[in-house]
Amino acid sequence: AQGVQKSKLAFLDALLKLRQICCHPKLIDAQTEAKSAKLNWLSQHIPTMLEQGRKIIIFSQFTSVLDIIAEQLQSQAIPFSLLTGQTRHRDKVIGQFTEGVTSVFLISLKAGGTGLNLTQADTVIHFDPWWNPAVEKQATDRAYRIGQINPVFVYKLIMANSIEQKVYKMQQEKQALVDALFTD
């Protein structure tokens, strides 16, 4: 009824909700009892990774997702550090992770995408994909930097048959285009 031009905000809001529900249904409906496959994956794999001596960074663009992950880690008695745009004593929080007080670091993509050197980490988990693959790469590079002596494992949690899978495909297509331009 309004046309495409006047409906842009509605489209963006719908895309945001589709992306949020892939992370956890509570982002759309706080009262829901529905579970998150991604959170379930973390709860199963994080303890195993920690037993192997891994140091883990988990990125999300949604601070509300990081809060949900933090609750899960607390319920599993897993100490963690948290860095968002609201973090007051940034150096102290970073120090907890770099000095080995915690082995899991939850970071919002915007707060930790640049300016951090976290070569203590050997595992990076992207809880949700970002439209721009360069932003994700910058985040991954917090662990994979000069001075890193360990292999860095990178996991991208992507919900099958969802907007996330479409975003991931779009990222691959953008990368293929860039690669094609520079290989010839």
mmCIF file of all heavy atoms in Angstrom, residues 8-50:
data_model
loop_
_atom_site.group_PDB
_atom_site.id
_atom_site.type_symbol
_atom_site.label_atom_id
_atom_site.label_comp_id
_atom_site.label_asym_id
_atom_site.label_seq_id
_atom_site.Cartn_x
_atom_site.Cartn_y
_atom_site.Cartn_z
ATOM 1 N N LYS A 8 10.970 1.062 3.526
ATOM 2 C CA LYS A 8 12.350 0.658 3.803
ATOM 3 C C LYS A 8 12.580 0.341 5.276
ATOM 4 O O LYS A 8 13.242 -0.644 5.605
ATOM 5 C CB LYS A 8 13.331 1.729 3.339
ATOM 6 C CG LYS A 8 13.499 1.754 1.836
ATOM 7 C CD LYS A 8 14.531 2.778 1.412
ATOM 8 C CE LYS A 8 14.645 2.771 -0.100
ATOM 9 N NZ LYS A 8 15.610 3.733 -0.586
ATOM 10 N N LEU A 9 12.051 1.147 6.171
ATOM 11 C CA LEU A 9 12.231 0.883 7.605
ATOM 12 C C LEU A 9 11.568 -0.428 8.015
ATOM 13 O O LEU A 9 12.120 -1.174 8.833
ATOM 14 C CB LEU A 9 11.705 2.041 8.446
ATOM 15 C CG LEU A 9 12.554 3.305 8.419
ATOM 16 C CD1 LEU A 9 11.909 4.408 9.222
ATOM 17 C CD2 LEU A 9 13.962 3.033 8.910
ATOM 18 N N ALA A 10 10.425 -0.712 7.444
ATOM 19 C CA ALA A 10 9.745 -1.979 7.754
ATOM 20 C C ALA A 10 10.572 -3.159 7.258
ATOM 21 O O ALA A 10 10.688 -4.181 7.942
ATOM 22 C CB ALA A 10 8.353 -2.002 7.127
ATOM 23 N N PHE A 11 11.174 -3.013 6.077
ATOM 24 C CA PHE A 11 12.040 -4.075 5.541
ATOM 25 C C PHE A 11 13.246 -4.299 6.451
ATOM 26 O O PHE A 11 13.598 -5.422 6.774
ATOM 27 C CB PHE A 11 12.530 -3.748 4.129
ATOM 28 C CG PHE A 11 11.473 -3.814 3.068
ATOM 29 C CD1 PHE A 11 11.458 -2.876 2.042
ATOM 30 C CD2 PHE A 11 10.498 -4.795 3.067
ATOM 31 C CE1 PHE A 11 10.487 -2.922 1.048
ATOM 32 C CE2 PHE A 11 9.528 -4.854 2.071
ATOM 33 C CZ PHE A 11 9.519 -3.920 1.065
ATOM 34 N N LEU A 12 13.897 -3.206 6.843
ATOM 35 C CA LEU A 12 15.074 -3.316 7.702
ATOM 36 C C LEU A 12 14.720 -3.934 9.053
ATOM 37 O O LEU A 12 15.470 -4.754 9.589
ATOM 38 C CB LEU A 12 15.721 -1.943 7.893
ATOM 39 C CG LEU A 12 16.404 -1.358 6.660
ATOM 40 C CD1 LEU A 12 16.893 0.054 6.932
ATOM 41 C CD2 LEU A 12 17.545 -2.252 6.206
ATOM 42 N N ASP A 13 13.584 -3.545 9.598
ATOM 43 C CA ASP A 13 13.140 -4.116 10.870
ATOM 44 C C ASP A 13 12.877 -5.618 10.737
ATOM 45 O O ASP A 13 13.254 -6.405 11.605
ATOM 46 C CB ASP A 13 11.877 -3.398 11.363
ATOM 47 C CG ASP A 13 11.447 -3.887 12.731
ATOM 48 O OD1 ASP A 13 12.277 -3.860 13.661
ATOM 49 O OD2 ASP A 13 10.273 -4.314 12.861
ATOM 50 N N ALA A 14 12.264 -6.015 9.640
ATOM 51 C CA ALA A 14 11.996 -7.443 9.406
ATOM 52 C C ALA A 14 13.301 -8.215 9.258
ATOM 53 O O ALA A 14 13.456 -9.308 9.821
ATOM 54 C CB ALA A 14 11.118 -7.615 8.161
ATOM 55 N N LEU A 15 14.270 -7.664 8.520
ATOM 56 C CA LEU A 15 15.572 -8.323 8.372
ATOM 57 C C LEU A 15 16.277 -8.466 9.716
ATOM 58 O O LEU A 15 16.866 -9.507 10.015
ATOM 59 C CB LEU A 15 16.464 -7.552 7.396
ATOM 60 C CG LEU A 15 16.150 -7.717 5.924
ATOM 61 C CD1 LEU A 15 16.996 -6.752 5.088
ATOM 62 C CD2 LEU A 15 16.374 -9.143 5.472
ATOM 63 N N LEU A 16 16.214 -7.421 10.529
ATOM 64 C CA LEU A 16 16.818 -7.468 11.854
ATOM 65 C C LEU A 16 16.200 -8.585 12.694
ATOM 66 O O LEU A 16 16.912 -9.382 13.311
ATOM 67 C CB LEU A 16 16.662 -6.126 12.568
ATOM 68 C CG LEU A 16 17.149 -6.091 14.016
ATOM 69 C CD1 LEU A 16 18.651 -6.302 14.091
ATOM 70 C CD2 LEU A 16 16.749 -4.782 14.668
ATOM 71 N N LYS A 17 14.885 -8.670 12.683
ATOM 72 C CA LYS A 17 14.199 -9.717 13.461
ATOM 73 C C LYS A 17 14.538 -11.113 12.951
ATOM 74 O O LYS A 17 14.717 -12.048 13.735
ATOM 75 C CB LYS A 17 12.700 -9.469 13.458
ATOM 76 C CG LYS A 17 12.284 -8.327 14.370
ATOM 77 C CD LYS A 17 10.777 -8.179 14.412
ATOM 78 C CE LYS A 17 10.359 -7.248 15.508
ATOM 79 N NZ LYS A 17 10.407 -5.850 15.197
ATOM 80 N N LEU A 18 14.638 -11.266 11.640
ATOM 81 C CA LEU A 18 15.020 -12.561 11.073
ATOM 82 C C LEU A 18 16.428 -12.948 11.511
ATOM 83 O O LEU A 18 16.697 -14.116 11.801
ATOM 84 C CB LEU A 18 14.939 -12.529 9.539
ATOM 85 C CG LEU A 18 13.536 -12.533 8.941
ATOM 86 C CD1 LEU A 18 13.606 -12.259 7.440
ATOM 87 C CD2 LEU A 18 12.839 -13.853 9.215
ATOM 88 N N ARG A 19 17.318 -11.974 11.575
ATOM 89 C CA ARG A 19 18.689 -12.250 12.010
ATOM 90 C C ARG A 19 18.726 -12.561 13.503
ATOM 91 O O ARG A 19 19.446 -13.459 13.943
ATOM 92 C CB ARG A 19 19.588 -11.073 11.677
ATOM 93 C CG ARG A 19 19.730 -10.922 10.148
ATOM 94 C CD ARG A 19 20.573 -9.749 9.739
ATOM 95 N NE ARG A 19 21.922 -9.936 10.213
ATOM 96 C CZ ARG A 19 22.658 -8.946 10.720
ATOM 97 N NH1 ARG A 19 22.178 -7.736 10.810
ATOM 98 N NH2 ARG A 19 23.879 -9.187 11.122
ATOM 99 N N GLN A 20 17.951 -11.819 14.289
ATOM 100 C CA GLN A 20 17.943 -12.033 15.738
ATOM 101 C C GLN A 20 17.384 -13.404 16.109
ATOM 102 O O GLN A 20 17.919 -14.077 16.984
ATOM 103 C CB GLN A 20 17.126 -10.938 16.434
ATOM 104 C CG GLN A 20 17.819 -9.612 16.460
ATOM 105 C CD GLN A 20 16.944 -8.522 17.052
ATOM 106 O OE1 GLN A 20 15.736 -8.484 16.835
ATOM 107 N NE2 GLN A 20 17.571 -7.626 17.803
ATOM 108 N N ILE A 21 16.332 -13.830 15.443
ATOM 109 C CA ILE A 21 15.723 -15.109 15.797
ATOM 110 C C ILE A 21 16.665 -16.275 15.506
ATOM 111 O O ILE A 21 16.596 -17.322 16.144
ATOM 112 C CB ILE A 21 14.341 -15.303 15.141
ATOM 113 C CG1 ILE A 21 13.542 -16.328 15.930
ATOM 114 C CG2 ILE A 21 14.473 -15.686 13.677
ATOM 115 C CD1 ILE A 21 12.069 -16.309 15.649
ATOM 116 N N CYS A 22 17.577 -16.084 14.565
ATOM 117 C CA CYS A 22 18.588 -17.112 14.291
ATOM 118 C C CYS A 22 19.548 -17.268 15.470
ATOM 119 O O CYS A 22 20.090 -18.349 15.691
ATOM 120 C CB CYS A 22 19.381 -16.768 13.039
ATOM 121 S SG CYS A 22 18.436 -16.900 11.513
ATOM 122 N N CYS A 23 19.766 -16.190 16.198
ATOM 123 C CA CYS A 23 20.665 -16.235 17.360
ATOM 124 C C CYS A 23 19.971 -16.861 18.562
ATOM 125 O O CYS A 23 20.491 -17.785 19.180
ATOM 126 C CB CYS A 23 21.138 -14.835 17.722
ATOM 127 S SG CYS A 23 22.186 -14.096 16.472
ATOM 128 N N HIS A 24 18.799 -16.316 18.888
ATOM 129 C CA HIS A 24 18.022 -16.851 20.005
ATOM 130 C C HIS A 24 16.606 -16.271 19.927
ATOM 131 O O HIS A 24 16.444 -15.059 19.790
ATOM 132 C CB HIS A 24 18.649 -16.484 21.344
ATOM 133 C CG HIS A 24 18.217 -17.376 22.459
ATOM 134 N ND1 HIS A 24 16.916 -17.431 22.910
ATOM 135 C CD2 HIS A 24 18.897 -18.275 23.192
ATOM 136 C CE1 HIS A 24 16.824 -18.310 23.883
ATOM 137 N NE2 HIS A 24 18.020 -18.841 24.079
ATOM 138 N N PRO A 25 15.583 -17.120 20.056
ATOM 139 C CA PRO A 25 14.198 -16.634 19.999
ATOM 140 C C PRO A 25 13.869 -15.588 21.068
ATOM 141 O O PRO A 25 12.983 -14.774 20.880
ATOM 142 C CB PRO A 25 13.359 -17.898 20.197
ATOM 143 C CG PRO A 25 14.250 -19.017 19.760
ATOM 144 C CD PRO A 25 15.648 -18.582 20.110
ATOM 145 N N LYS A 26 14.612 -15.568 22.182
ATOM 146 C CA LYS A 26 14.348 -14.589 23.245
ATOM 147 C C LYS A 26 14.619 -13.153 22.801
ATOM 148 O O LYS A 26 14.141 -12.219 23.424
ATOM 149 C CB LYS A 26 15.174 -14.911 24.486
ATOM 150 C CG LYS A 26 14.636 -16.082 25.256
ATOM 151 C CD LYS A 26 15.332 -16.246 26.578
ATOM 152 C CE LYS A 26 14.685 -17.422 27.280
ATOM 153 N NZ LYS A 26 14.893 -17.439 28.690
ATOM 154 N N LEU A 27 15.357 -12.983 21.730
ATOM 155 C CA LEU A 27 15.597 -11.629 21.239
ATOM 156 C C LEU A 27 14.342 -11.035 20.614
ATOM 157 O O LEU A 27 14.205 -9.818 20.523
ATOM 158 C CB LEU A 27 16.735 -11.616 20.222
ATOM 159 C CG LEU A 27 18.103 -12.036 20.750
ATOM 160 C CD1 LEU A 27 19.129 -12.016 19.632
ATOM 161 C CD2 LEU A 27 18.543 -11.162 21.895
ATOM 162 N N ILE A 28 13.438 -11.906 20.207
ATOM 163 C CA ILE A 28 12.179 -11.459 19.614
ATOM 164 C C ILE A 28 11.061 -11.487 20.649
ATOM 165 O O ILE A 28 10.231 -10.593 20.705
ATOM 166 C CB ILE A 28 11.792 -12.361 18.406
ATOM 167 C CG1 ILE A 28 12.911 -12.375 17.360
ATOM 168 C CG2 ILE A 28 10.471 -11.923 17.791
ATOM 169 C CD1 ILE A 28 13.234 -11.036 16.757
ATOM 170 N N ASP A 29 11.058 -12.525 21.476
ATOM 171 C CA ASP A 29 10.027 -12.691 22.503
ATOM 172 C C ASP A 29 10.700 -13.135 23.801
ATOM 173 O O ASP A 29 11.062 -14.305 23.964
ATOM 174 C CB ASP A 29 9.001 -13.740 22.052
ATOM 175 C CG ASP A 29 7.921 -14.024 23.086
ATOM 176 O OD1 ASP A 29 7.872 -13.336 24.127
ATOM 177 O OD2 ASP A 29 7.120 -14.943 22.847
ATOM 178 N N ALA A 30 10.880 -12.198 24.720
ATOM 179 C CA ALA A 30 11.604 -12.476 25.968
ATOM 180 C C ALA A 30 10.943 -13.563 26.814
ATOM 181 O O ALA A 30 11.604 -14.199 27.633
ATOM 182 C CB ALA A 30 11.734 -11.193 26.781
ATOM 183 N N GLN A 31 9.645 -13.802 26.614
ATOM 184 C CA GLN A 31 8.916 -14.778 27.431
ATOM 185 C C GLN A 31 8.942 -16.190 26.857
ATOM 186 O O GLN A 31 8.493 -17.133 27.509
ATOM 187 C CB GLN A 31 7.457 -14.330 27.596
ATOM 188 C CG GLN A 31 7.291 -12.921 28.149
ATOM 189 C CD GLN A 31 8.019 -12.712 29.457
ATOM 190 O OE1 GLN A 31 7.974 -13.545 30.337
ATOM 191 N NE2 GLN A 31 8.716 -11.587 29.573
ATOM 192 N N THR A 32 9.479 -16.351 25.668
ATOM 193 C CA THR A 32 9.434 -17.657 25.019
ATOM 194 C C THR A 32 10.281 -18.690 25.758
ATOM 195 O O THR A 32 11.270 -18.359 26.404
ATOM 196 C CB THR A 32 9.893 -17.576 23.544
ATOM 197 O OG1 THR A 32 9.689 -18.840 22.938
ATOM 198 C CG2 THR A 32 11.367 -17.219 23.447
ATOM 199 N N GLU A 33 9.859 -19.917 25.659
ATOM 200 C CA GLU A 33 10.625 -21.036 26.213
ATOM 201 C C GLU A 33 11.431 -21.737 25.125
ATOM 202 O O GLU A 33 12.101 -22.734 25.396
ATOM 203 C CB GLU A 33 9.667 -22.035 26.893
ATOM 204 C CG GLU A 33 8.954 -21.463 28.112
ATOM 205 C CD GLU A 33 9.914 -21.068 29.225
ATOM 206 O OE1 GLU A 33 10.884 -21.817 29.487
ATOM 207 O OE2 GLU A 33 9.708 -19.996 29.825
ATOM 208 N N ALA A 34 11.348 -21.221 23.912
ATOM 209 C CA ALA A 34 12.074 -21.826 22.794
ATOM 210 C C ALA A 34 13.573 -21.777 23.050
ATOM 211 O O ALA A 34 14.076 -20.877 23.710
ATOM 212 C CB ALA A 34 11.729 -21.109 21.494
ATOM 213 N N LYS A 35 14.274 -22.750 22.538
ATOM 214 C CA LYS A 35 15.720 -22.869 22.729
ATOM 215 C C LYS A 35 16.468 -22.382 21.494
ATOM 216 O O LYS A 35 15.902 -22.224 20.424
ATOM 217 C CB LYS A 35 16.097 -24.330 23.008
ATOM 218 C CG LYS A 35 15.369 -24.950 24.186
ATOM 219 C CD LYS A 35 15.810 -24.339 25.478
ATOM 220 C CE LYS A 35 15.118 -25.026 26.637
ATOM 221 N NZ LYS A 35 15.068 -24.231 27.814
ATOM 222 N N SER A 36 17.760 -22.189 21.664
ATOM 223 C CA SER A 36 18.630 -21.755 20.587
ATOM 224 C C SER A 36 19.605 -22.877 20.252
ATOM 225 O O SER A 36 20.340 -23.350 21.124
ATOM 226 C CB SER A 36 19.412 -20.509 21.020
ATOM 227 O OG SER A 36 20.512 -20.289 20.173
ATOM 228 N N ALA A 37 19.634 -23.291 18.988
ATOM 229 C CA ALA A 37 20.573 -24.332 18.556
ATOM 230 C C ALA A 37 22.012 -23.849 18.718
ATOM 231 O O ALA A 37 22.897 -24.623 19.091
ATOM 232 C CB ALA A 37 20.295 -24.715 17.106
ATOM 233 N N LYS A 38 22.249 -22.577 18.482
ATOM 234 C CA LYS A 38 23.595 -22.037 18.609
ATOM 235 C C LYS A 38 24.058 -22.045 20.064
ATOM 236 O O LYS A 38 25.192 -22.414 20.361
ATOM 237 C CB LYS A 38 23.657 -20.618 18.056
ATOM 238 C CG LYS A 38 23.501 -20.527 16.558
ATOM 239 C CD LYS A 38 23.625 -19.085 16.144
ATOM 240 C CE LYS A 38 23.480 -18.930 14.661
ATOM 241 N NZ LYS A 38 23.814 -17.563 14.232
ATOM 242 N N LEU A 39 23.169 -21.638 20.964
ATOM 243 C CA LEU A 39 23.524 -21.638 22.380
ATOM 244 C C LEU A 39 23.755 -23.067 22.863
ATOM 245 O O LEU A 39 24.676 -23.324 23.647
ATOM 246 C CB LEU A 39 22.422 -20.957 23.204
ATOM 247 C CG LEU A 39 22.807 -20.590 24.626
ATOM 248 C CD1 LEU A 39 23.949 -19.578 24.654
ATOM 249 C CD2 LEU A 39 21.605 -20.040 25.362
ATOM 250 N N ASN A 40 22.955 -23.983 22.365
ATOM 251 C CA ASN A 40 23.137 -25.392 22.694
ATOM 252 C C ASN A 40 24.509 -25.875 22.208
ATOM 253 O O ASN A 40 25.221 -26.580 22.922
ATOM 254 C CB ASN A 40 22.012 -26.230 22.080
ATOM 255 C CG ASN A 40 22.091 -27.670 22.481
ATOM 256 O OD1 ASN A 40 22.314 -28.000 23.634
ATOM 257 N ND2 ASN A 40 21.915 -28.557 21.513
ATOM 258 N N TRP A 41 24.891 -25.472 20.996
ATOM 259 C CA TRP A 41 26.202 -25.843 20.458
ATOM 260 C C TRP A 41 27.314 -25.334 21.370
ATOM 261 O O TRP A 41 28.254 -26.065 21.693
ATOM 262 C CB TRP A 41 26.359 -25.288 19.041
ATOM 263 C CG TRP A 41 27.596 -25.757 18.350
ATOM 264 C CD1 TRP A 41 27.729 -26.855 17.564
ATOM 265 C CD2 TRP A 41 28.890 -25.133 18.382
ATOM 266 N NE1 TRP A 41 29.024 -26.956 17.100
ATOM 267 C CE2 TRP A 41 29.762 -25.914 17.589
ATOM 268 C CE3 TRP A 41 29.404 -23.995 19.000
ATOM 269 C CZ2 TRP A 41 31.097 -25.596 17.405
ATOM 270 C CZ3 TRP A 41 30.746 -23.672 18.816
ATOM 271 C CH2 TRP A 41 31.566 -24.465 18.027
ATOM 272 N N LEU A 42 27.198 -24.059 21.774
ATOM 273 C CA LEU A 42 28.214 -23.491 22.669
ATOM 274 C C LEU A 42 28.295 -24.258 23.981
ATOM 275 O O LEU A 42 29.388 -24.564 24.459
ATOM 276 C CB LEU A 42 27.919 -22.017 22.967
ATOM 277 C CG LEU A 42 28.214 -20.986 21.897
ATOM 278 C CD1 LEU A 42 27.865 -19.599 22.402
ATOM 279 C CD2 LEU A 42 29.653 -21.037 21.446
ATOM 280 N N SER A 43 27.125 -24.558 24.565
ATOM 281 C CA SER A 43 27.125 -25.235 25.869
ATOM 282 C C SER A 43 27.756 -26.619 25.787
ATOM 283 O O SER A 43 28.321 -27.095 26.772
ATOM 284 C CB SER A 43 25.706 -25.319 26.437
ATOM 285 O OG SER A 43 24.913 -26.209 25.688
ATOM 286 N N GLN A 44 27.698 -27.251 24.634
ATOM 287 C CA GLN A 44 28.317 -28.565 24.456
ATOM 288 C C GLN A 44 29.803 -28.467 24.117
ATOM 289 O O GLN A 44 30.599 -29.284 24.582
ATOM 290 C CB GLN A 44 27.609 -29.338 23.342
ATOM 291 C CG GLN A 44 26.205 -29.762 23.688
ATOM 292 C CD GLN A 44 25.511 -30.436 22.515
ATOM 293 O OE1 GLN A 44 26.106 -30.669 21.470
ATOM 294 N NE2 GLN A 44 24.232 -30.738 22.689
ATOM 295 N N HIS A 45 30.194 -27.488 23.316
ATOM 296 C CA HIS A 45 31.564 -27.444 22.806
ATOM 297 C C HIS A 45 32.536 -26.614 23.646
ATOM 298 O O HIS A 45 33.726 -26.933 23.691
ATOM 299 C CB HIS A 45 31.568 -26.950 21.359
ATOM 300 C CG HIS A 45 31.030 -27.962 20.411
ATOM 301 N ND1 HIS A 45 29.685 -28.119 20.179
ATOM 302 C CD2 HIS A 45 31.649 -28.893 19.655
ATOM 303 C CE1 HIS A 45 29.498 -29.099 19.316
ATOM 304 N NE2 HIS A 45 30.676 -29.584 18.980
ATOM 305 N N ILE A 46 32.070 -25.562 24.295
ATOM 306 C CA ILE A 46 32.973 -24.716 25.088
ATOM 307 C C ILE A 46 33.683 -25.522 26.177
ATOM 308 O O ILE A 46 34.908 -25.434 26.307
ATOM 309 C CB ILE A 46 32.229 -23.499 25.678
ATOM 310 C CG1 ILE A 46 31.712 -22.587 24.568
ATOM 311 C CG2 ILE A 46 33.120 -22.738 26.668
ATOM 312 C CD1 ILE A 46 32.712 -21.699 23.917
ATOM 313 N N PRO A 47 32.962 -26.328 26.986
ATOM 314 C CA PRO A 47 33.679 -27.093 28.024
ATOM 315 C C PRO A 47 34.759 -28.008 27.443
ATOM 316 O O PRO A 47 35.865 -28.096 28.003
ATOM 317 C CB PRO A 47 32.574 -27.902 28.705
ATOM 318 C CG PRO A 47 31.332 -27.109 28.479
ATOM 319 C CD PRO A 47 31.508 -26.507 27.107
ATOM 320 N N THR A 48 34.473 -28.640 26.320
ATOM 321 C CA THR A 48 35.457 -29.515 25.676
ATOM 322 C C THR A 48 36.669 -28.716 25.215
ATOM 323 O O THR A 48 37.818 -29.123 25.412
ATOM 324 C CB THR A 48 34.821 -30.252 24.486
ATOM 325 O OG1 THR A 48 33.681 -30.962 24.936
ATOM 326 C CG2 THR A 48 35.801 -31.200 23.832
ATOM 327 N N MET A 49 36.422 -27.566 24.611
ATOM 328 C CA MET A 49 37.525 -26.720 24.154
ATOM 329 C C MET A 49 38.386 -26.262 25.334
ATOM 330 O O MET A 49 39.619 -26.246 25.244
ATOM 331 C CB MET A 49 36.981 -25.498 23.397
ATOM 332 C CG MET A 49 36.364 -25.820 22.065
ATOM 333 S SD MET A 49 35.672 -24.298 21.348
ATOM 334 C CE MET A 49 34.915 -24.937 19.876
ATOM 335 N N LEU A 50 37.737 -25.897 26.434
ATOM 336 C CA LEU A 50 38.480 -25.442 27.608
ATOM 337 C C LEU A 50 39.307 -26.583 28.207
ATOM 338 O O LEU A 50 40.433 -26.359 28.661
ATOM 339 C CB LEU A 50 37.525 -24.851 28.647
ATOM 340 C CG LEU A 50 36.852 -23.539 28.238
ATOM 341 C CD1 LEU A 50 35.826 -23.113 29.270
ATOM 342 C CD2 LEU A 50 37.881 -22.438 28.003
#
